[in-house]
Amino acid sequence: MNLATASPAPLNSLKESNIHVLFSYKTAAFLLVASTLLGPTARAQSSSSSSSSGSESTPALENNPRQQLPARPRVAQPEAGGAAITLETSESLFDLAAALNTCGYDADLENSAPVRKAIRQEINQTLASATPAARDHRDALCAYIRQHQLGEPGLNLAQYISLSLYLNPPPQLTPSVDQPELPPDSTQVVNILPLLRSFAEDINLHTIWVTHRSEYEALVEKVHDPLTRTILDTNIYLHLPVSSYDGRRFLVLLEPMLAPATTNARIYGSDYIVVASPAGSPLGQVHMDEIRHTYLHYEIEPLVYARASAMDRLLPLLKTVQDAPIEFTYKSDISAFITENLIKAVEAHTMDTGFPKPKRPSQVRQRSDMTNYEAELTAWERQAETTRRKQVDLDVRQGWVLASYFYDKLTQMEKDGTSLKEDIAEMVYGMDVDRERHAASQVAFLPEGSHDAIKRAPRQLRGMDLAEMKLMKGDVDGAGMMADEALKTNPSDPQANYLAGRVELVQGDPESAMAHLNKTLTLAKDPRTLAWAHIYLGRLYDVARDPEHPEQEHPERNKALAEYKAALAVRDSQPDTKAAAENGLKEPFLLPRRSDDNQDNEPLDPSGKAEKEAYRPQQQPR
């Protein structure tokens, strides 16, 4: 699912600048322009990442939604430059689910798709005629599963799902990462793998998987279009583009051998994963609301965490929810708390209110037709708003005390026709914390809160993956230190050079950034990393012009053109890469203008305090 992403929104506080002037700016100056100069974060991936038949995927959105693309690699090894949002099946997950079914996992069996019973019957028939050794292997497998059963059914299933996401495809069925990097819950059952391999070999489980592939694909087809509509409708409401792969992924895995009543969602580092089982009636139905909730995390979290440094002033709000029926994470992490409140507000705005919206007359024969339609529409809007407000009130009493605040902000966003990306700064910086804290202190919380399908068991990110996450969350210094350490160990590490170049752009050192980006070009093999390294270099050359006469040609423009052409020659398949390079060929990249030219010599405030103050609500006269 790849839709062209829009170019990064330019900062409106800077005017175009000569690159030599930028060299002499304080670090804060380049920190402000870097978000404009840099496009999407294109994380370098190892050129040795291999595709396998262990996981099949279909992009959830395409220009032709029915178009079938080649299979993406399994969850544990994403393909650089691939789709960011995919609908997949996984043979590794199938093998573990089949083992659980063989050993007594019958949850919601009657409501499952017919293929589940068919596969269970086929496995039982195979075991009935199998050798005594094969049945002994089955018994050992089932004994292990019983011994590692947890009290809560959801957590019991989750540990096996977590393990399946980081397995090499059959017949290997071995962890694809070192054990310390596995999701924590999966390490409790990792020793099932030798037993699983024996079981799969005894009954020739791969043949059963192949035999039923057509039924799996038919279920994927049924889920594909509703999922596509959900993703598109969500992004249309938020006025956000559907992005291509930039190191973050949203994955929906279908596995009919699991219970349709349960949706298992989790966030591992930069992977947002939902495992769902389609129902038998209506065939292919999944809990789309829970999938959408996880997708909202995928879209909104980066916008909130990018402002993590501004969250300290909101910390007093956490004191008001210590007795609320919400998970400890949300009582202790202000960014997570803000994210969930904003998601609740979006869900309230876009919920199905249960009342059909009046349809505009296709033909207006007389004036009264439109008058009646407008009256019906007004009545529907009033009724729908009442329903939405009741939901917001319920959310507040369940502990999401900022749901009402964000609901009102989103109402204004709808009226203004702006995007969440444009309005998120005002929502965060402009919040009257004292007022919201006082309102929250008056809330009488309910005994129980809402159920959150998402399990946060983040895998232990290491090395450059951890550094990339730090950069994404705004910890520029931390990411830079890790890049420096990696380069001391291996100066030819392409991912470390690429990360160092982007960090140096933010930190105000374009000369060093150029050096590392150029070195990246000699080391990297990933098409997306190469293409964006060329684009960043082209933009750096483009801003090296006379600020008083930007229309004049300058020697660096030819170098910039060469970089943009080189970016296109790499043939990265993503639309945002192509658009950025073609825009650079059409016209030189410009840094945004300041509204007041006299501000050039004013000192810059790296803390951003002035910007935050500008968003504070006006004091009402007494």
Side-chain angles (χ1 to χ4, degrees):
M1 157 188 195
N2 295 328
L3 296 185
T5 55
S7 299
L11 301 173
N12 57 13
S13 61
L14 296 178
K15 75 171 197 175
E16 61 197 90
S17 303
N18 183 290
I19 197 167
H20 300 293
V21 176
L22 290 176
F23 289 167
S24 64
Y25 270 6
K26 294 180 179 179
T27 300
F30 219 89
L31 184 143
L32 289 172
V33 305
S35 63
T36 302
L37 190 64
L38 295 179
T41 303
R43 182 170 65 181
Q45 298 291 329
S46 170
S47 61
S48 63
S49 292
S50 59
S51 177
S52 81
S53 62
S55 174
E56 303 277 343
S57 72
T58 302
L61 295 177
E62 278 289 349
N63 293 332
N64 178 3
R66 300 282 181 180
Q67 180 182 3
Q68 298 295 313
L69 296 185
R72 277 172 52 82
R74 56 184 168 68
V75 175
Q77 288 185 353
E79 180 181 356
I85 303 173
T86 53
L87 176 61
E88 303 184 8
T89 59
S90 164
E91 188 177 356
S92 299
L93 176 57
F94 165 78
D95 281 11
L96 272 166
L100 291 172
N101 276 264
T102 302
C103 297
Y105 175 71
D106 300 328
D108 211 19
L109 180 60
E110 295 304 315
N111 295 320
S112 296
V115 68
R116 183 181 180 189
K117 288 186 177 181
I119 291 174
R120 285 166 60 104
Q121 183 177 0
E122 190 169 342
I123 291 174
N124 288 336
Q125 290 175 348
T126 302
L127 285 168
S129 59
T131 65
R135 289 194 288 273
D136 288 344
H137 291 159
R138 184 271 315 274
D139 293 343
L141 175 72
C142 293
Y144 183 94
I145 290 174
R146 286 193 300 271
Q147 291 167 6
H148 291 80
Q149 189 161 354
L150 301 179
E152 205 280 305
L155 295 177
N156 186 58
L157 178 61
Q159 59 187 345
Y160 293 103
I161 291 177
S162 296
L163 179 62
S164 73
L165 299 176
Y166 293 90
L167 291 182
N168 290 308
Q172 293 93 337
L173 289 175
T174 54
S176 58
V177 296
D178 294 335
Q179 186 159 332
E181 297 180 31
L182 285 171
D185 59 341
S186 71
T187 60
Q188 303 171 110
V189 292
V190 70
N191 290 328
I192 196 177
L193 295 179
L195 302 172
L196 180 63
R197 287 192 291 270
S198 297
F199 171 74
E201 183 179 354
D202 290 339
I203 67 170
N204 203 355
L205 194 54
H206 177 68
T207 299
I208 297 175
W209 162 259
V210 172
T211 300
H212 293 277
R213 280 300 300 150
S214 60
E215 294 160 274
Y216 270 61
E217 290 169 359
L219 290 170
V220 167
E221 185 70 14
K222 285 186 174 294
V223 175
H224 181 281
D225 287 354
L227 176 61
T228 298
R229 288 194 296 272
T230 296
I231 298 298
L232 285 176
D233 288 347
T234 301
N235 284 77
I236 288 171
Y237 176 78
L238 299 176
H239 289 263
L240 296 175
V242 180
S243 62
S244 56
Y245 177 68
D246 62 354
R248 300 173 60 251
R249 293 172 301 151
F250 180 76
L251 313 178
V252 179
L253 284 169
L254 286 189
E255 182 42 71
M257 297 297 289
L258 302 177
T262 302
T263 300
N264 197 291
R266 67 275 314 292
I267 301 172
Y268 292 144
S270 57
D271 292 340
Y272 293 68
I273 305 167
V274 183
V275 177
S277 178
S281 180
L283 184 62
Q285 186 178 67
V286 295
H287 294 282
M288 198 62 71
D289 54 339
E290 294 183 355
I291 295 176
R292 184 170 180 267
H293 183 85
T294 309
Y295 182 69
L296 284 169
H297 274 273
Y298 171 79
E299 286 289 0
I300 292 175
E301 280 190 358
L303 301 180
V304 173
Y305 279 95
R307 291 159 178 83
S309 61
M311 294 292 173
D312 287 352
R313 60 184 292 266
L314 308 184
L315 285 172
L317 293 167
L318 294 181
K319 296 180 180 179
T320 67
V321 295
Q322 293 305 302
D323 295 328
I326 59 178
E327 294 180 14
F328 176 74
T329 298
Y330 301 113
K331 297 179 181 181
S332 57
D333 184 337
I334 186 61
S335 295
F337 181 68
I338 294 295
T339 299
E340 194 67 23
N341 276 273
L342 183 50
I343 287 173
K344 293 292 184 183
V346 172
E347 290 175 333
H349 263 288
T350 56
M351 67 182 291
D352 181 1
T353 59
F355 311 111
K357 186 176 181 178
K359 295 183 178 179
R360 186 183 184 90
S362 56
Q363 294 182 347
V364 180
R365 302 185 182 278
Q366 51 189 355
R367 187 173 182 179
S368 61
D369 292 343
M370 283 304 298
T371 302
N372 292 337
Y373 164 72
E374 291 170 355
E376 291 174 359
L377 183 61
T378 299
W380 175 84
E381 289 174 344
R382 187 181 302 113
Q383 195 174 25
E385 179 64 12
T386 300
T387 302
R388 295 189 192 108
R389 280 291 179 183
K390 287 181 179 179
Q391 180 60 50
V392 172
D393 291 343
L394 176 61
D395 291 336
V396 170
R397 295 193 64 198
Q398 289 177 334
W400 311 113
V401 295
L402 294 179
S404 180
Y405 168 81
F406 284 120
Y407 184 89
D408 293 338
K409 289 295 181 181
L410 291 172
T411 300
Q412 187 61 47
M413 185 185 82
E414 289 181 14
K415 293 178 181 178
D416 296 340
T418 53
S419 70
L420 182 61
K421 184 176 182 179
E422 293 172 300
D423 280 7
I424 186 70
E426 191 275 334
M427 291 181 184
V428 173
Y429 297 138
M431 185 187 300
D432 187 333
V433 178
D434 290 338
R435 176 181 175 182
E436 297 304 323
R437 181 176 58 180
H438 175 74
S441 66
Q442 307 303 309
V443 175
F445 295 120
L446 296 175
E448 295 184 5
S450 57
H451 169 69
D452 193 350
I454 295 180
K455 303 297 181 185
R456 286 184 177 271
R459 61 187 173 93
Q460 299 298 313
L461 295 179
R462 296 174 182 274
M464 289 300 95
D465 288 337
L466 178 58
E468 289 283 355
M469 180 61 68
K470 286 180 177 290
L471 182 60
M472 186 189 82
K473 291 187 175 182
D475 184 3
V476 179
D477 292 338
M481 289 177 63
M482 295 193 69
D484 291 342
E485 288 298 319
L487 290 172
K488 289 177 183 177
T489 304
N490 179 13
S492 297
D493 183 334
Q495 191 176 2
N497 276 279
Y498 184 56
L499 177 64
R502 286 173 291 147
V503 167
E504 286 155 353
L505 282 174
V506 177
Q507 291 180 332
D509 189 358
E511 288 178 321
S512 296
M514 278 191 168
H516 279 117
L517 290 171
N518 275 309
K519 191 167 184 180
T520 300
L521 296 177
T522 67
L523 299 170
K525 293 182 174 62
D526 165 44
R528 186 166 177 80
T529 300
L530 290 169
W532 276 98
H534 281 299
I535 291 169
Y536 296 156
L537 286 168
R539 290 178 173 180
L540 280 169
Y541 287 130
D542 265 340
V543 296
R545 63 172 50 82
D546 182 354
E548 301 300 325
H549 303 284
E551 72 285 351
Q552 294 181 0
E553 286 295 325
H554 62 94
E556 304 299 320
R557 176 58 179 164
N558 290 332
K559 294 182 181 179
L561 291 172
E563 297 293 347
Y564 296 133
K565 291 176 181 177
L568 291 173
V570 171
R571 296 188 178 278
D572 173 40
S573 62
Q574 303 310 306
D576 59 338
T577 304
K578 186 172 183 288
E582 289 180 344
N583 287 339
L585 289 174
K586 290 177 184 177
E587 56 186 7
F589 179 81
L590 295 175
L591 293 175
R593 295 179 178 274
R594 287 189 182 188
S595 58
D596 182 358
D597 288 348
N598 292 329
Q599 294 179 9
D600 281 347
N601 296 321
E602 292 183 5
L604 292 164
D605 176 15
S607 69
K609 182 178 179 181
E611 183 181 7
K612 297 173 191 176
E613 291 293 336
Y615 282 117
R616 284 188 180 276
Q618 295 290 330
Q619 294 292 330
Q620 298 296 327
R622 296 183 178 180

